[in-house]
């Protein structure tokens, strides 16, 4: 008996969910219909509700926002005060023999 009541409750919950989903779809259709009718009444074109997205430039927007194209005046002044490079990307000047805090190790094959 308990199993039957559990199944009936699940069926009723499923019907309530389906009905609420149908109501949401009908409300969306009604809003779209009113918008379309208003556009026809006023003579304005009705544009569809779509997201215009160019996948080729989608990531460029965020990549360009992460790094400014050129350093600001404050960045240049701070870098010069510290004796660092203000170029982007940073170019290492000099040769590998100028490095003094690293000792070379021989390569061992294992």
């Amino acid at each position: 008996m308990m199993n039957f009541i559990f199944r009936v409750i699940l069926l009723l919950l499923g019907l309530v969910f389906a009905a609420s989903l149908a109501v949401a779809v009908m409300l969306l259709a009604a809003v779209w219909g009113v918008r379309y009718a208003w556009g026809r009444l006023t003579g304005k074109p009705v544009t569809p509700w779509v997201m215009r997205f160019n996948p080729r430039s989608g990531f460029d927007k965020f990549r360009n926002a992460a790094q400014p194209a050129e350093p600001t005046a404050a960045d240049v002044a701070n870098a010069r005060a510290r004796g660092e490079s203000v170029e982007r990307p940073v170019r290492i000047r000099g040769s590998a023999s100028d490095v003094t805090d690293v000792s070379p190790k021989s390569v061992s094959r294992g």
Side-chain angles (χ1 to χ4, degrees), residues 70-93:
E70 53 186 68
T72 63
D75 293 336
V76 171
N78 288 334
R80 286 184 181 158
R82 290 189 306 262
E84 297 175 355
S85 174
V86 293
E87 297 175 0
R88 227 177 256 242
V90 176
R91 294 191 179 104
I92 299 174
R93 295 187 178 101

Side-chain angles (χ1 to χ4, degrees), residues 4-18:
F4 177 73
I5 293 174
F6 183 68
R7 286 184 182 185
V8 169
I9 290 173
L10 284 179
L11 176 70
L12 291 176
L13 286 175
L15 289 175
V16 167
F17 177 74

Side-chain angles (χ1 to χ4, degrees), residues 5-109:
I5 293 174
F6 183 68
R7 286 184 182 185
V8 169
I9 290 173
L10 284 179
L11 176 70
L12 291 176
L13 286 175
L15 289 175
V16 167
F17 177 74
S20 64
L21 194 61
V23 167
V25 169
M26 293 301 286
L27 283 175
L28 185 63
V31 168
W32 184 83
V34 167
R35 184 173 174 263
Y36 179 76
W38 182 256
R40 295 282 287 176
L41 184 67
T42 59
K44 295 181 182 179
V46 179
T47 58
W49 286 335
V50 294
M51 184 173 66
R52 306 269 179 202
F53 178 70
N54 183 2
R56 286 173 282 170
S57 67
F59 292 103
D60 291 339
K61 180 169 91 173
F62 297 104
R63 190 180 309 132
N64 293 337
Q67 291 183 342
E70 53 186 68
T72 63
D75 293 336
V76 171
N78 288 334
R80 286 184 181 158
R82 290 189 306 262
E84 297 175 355
S85 174
V86 293
E87 297 175 0
R88 227 177 256 242
V90 176
R91 294 191 179 104
I92 299 174
R93 295 187 178 101
S95 65
S97 63
D98 294 341
V99 177
T100 59
D101 60 343
V102 177
S103 59
K105 296 182 181 178
S106 62
V107 178
S108 61
R109 306 247 177 205

